Amino acid sequence: MEALTDFFMQWGYWGMLLAAFLAGSVVPIGSEVVYVLLLKAGLDPLLTTLAATAGNTLGGMTCYWIGMLGKREWIHRWLGVSEEKLDKATRFLQGRGAWMGFFAFLPYLGEAIAVALGFMRSNQPVTALSMALGKAARYSALLLAFKGVISL
């Protein structure tokens, strides 16, 4: 993990974008570690947050697009989302619409939410916007905790 973190650190904002993309999609890594280390290294907090949000949103949208394919076996094989988790996320989202993409930042359930929204063919631009807002809120809360404004 240390070598991977060092790799992302060397690439700065692009490394943050890539780490967040992978974390938001199918690779189980913690982009929060890279985020905090880049902030400690002195990178601009706003640009770091924007890179993290953009990467994590794009990663989440890959889960959405895989869900749009509608193949449950692909969802399980490529994303590791179980039938049970997908059914639970679908029931949770039923009737609530694309704005539920905001909650795609949640650990463990976030990928299932994004996949379920794609599977349900929710409005793509609204899903992307709501997902970006949720992910921006998460990184902003992490920034505030890093700065000592709040404690998590």
Side-chain angles (χ1 to χ4, degrees):
M1 180 66 178
E2 188 175 327
L4 189 59
T5 304
D6 289 342
F7 171 79
F8 293 131
M9 292 282 298
Q10 290 174 2
W11 284 89
Y13 301 117
W14 290 107
M16 181 71 257
L17 186 115
L18 179 60
F21 172 80
L22 294 172
S25 60
V26 297
V27 182
I29 66 168
S31 63
E32 295 83 5
V33 172
V34 176
Y35 181 78
V36 169
L37 289 174
L38 288 173
L39 291 174
K40 281 186 177 183
L43 269 67
D44 181 78
L46 177 62
L47 293 177
T48 305
T49 302
L50 289 174
T53 300
N56 211 249
T57 301
L58 288 171
M61 288 304 291
T62 61
C63 294
Y64 172 91
W65 293 317
I66 290 172
M68 279 190 72
L69 296 174
K71 305 276 187 190
R72 284 184 173 258
E73 62 272 7
W74 291 357
I75 293 167
H76 177 66
R77 183 173 27 152
W78 291 352
L79 298 177
V81 177
S82 68
E83 291 282 331
E84 178 185 341
K85 193 185 286 187
L86 184 58
D87 288 340
K88 184 177 181 179
T90 302
R91 280 192 308 275
F92 174 73
L93 297 170
Q94 201 67 39
R96 290 188 171 98
W99 285 105
M100 294 306 288
F102 180 87
F103 297 102
F105 74 87
L106 294 171
Y108 304 112
L109 191 57
E111 289 85 6
I113 288 172
V115 169
L117 286 168
F119 195 71
M120 296 166 61
R121 306 288 195 277
S122 69
N123 182 298
Q124 190 170 346
V126 174
T127 300
L129 175 63
S130 63
M131 195 180 291
L133 291 172
K135 290 170 184 287
R138 181 186 71 194
Y139 286 112
S140 295
L142 191 56
L143 175 62
L144 291 173
F146 174 76
K147 296 282 188 180
V149 176
I150 63 171
S151 64
L152 296 178

